[in-house]
Amino acid sequence: MEGGLIPFYSIGNGDYFCLLTSEEVNEAVYYYSHENSGIEKEADDFQEWLIQLPFFLR
């Protein structure tokens, strides 16, 4: 995947939650949008992402 992204969760529409390989410590979780090929930081660490995941999936 482009931009050093490591996808780990597919939304099913071409979008992914990813880690970024260019970070020294891969803690933050990013959202990759296939429509604009952009990434947006979703959470500062994996635990924060897990806590907010049920709200995203509603």
Side-chain angles (χ1 to χ4, degrees), residues 3-4 14 16 25-26 35 38 40 42 53 56 58:
Y16 295 89
V25 178
N26 291 327
E35 290 180 13
E40 185 175 314
E42 258 325 288
L53 185 60
F56 179 81
R58 288 185 184 172

Side-chain angles (χ1 to χ4, degrees), residues 6-45:
I6 302 170
F8 67 88
Y9 187 87
S10 172
I11 302 302
N13 65 354
D15 294 356
Y16 295 89
F17 284 105
C18 306
L19 300 175
L20 193 59
T21 61
S22 63
E23 291 186 342
E24 190 171 313
V25 178
N26 291 327
E27 289 186 354
V29 175
Y30 295 87
Y31 185 81
Y32 170 79
S33 172
H34 77 284
E35 290 180 13
N36 61 12
S37 297
I39 63 170
E40 185 175 314
K41 190 175 188 179
E42 258 325 288
D44 290 328
D45 59 45

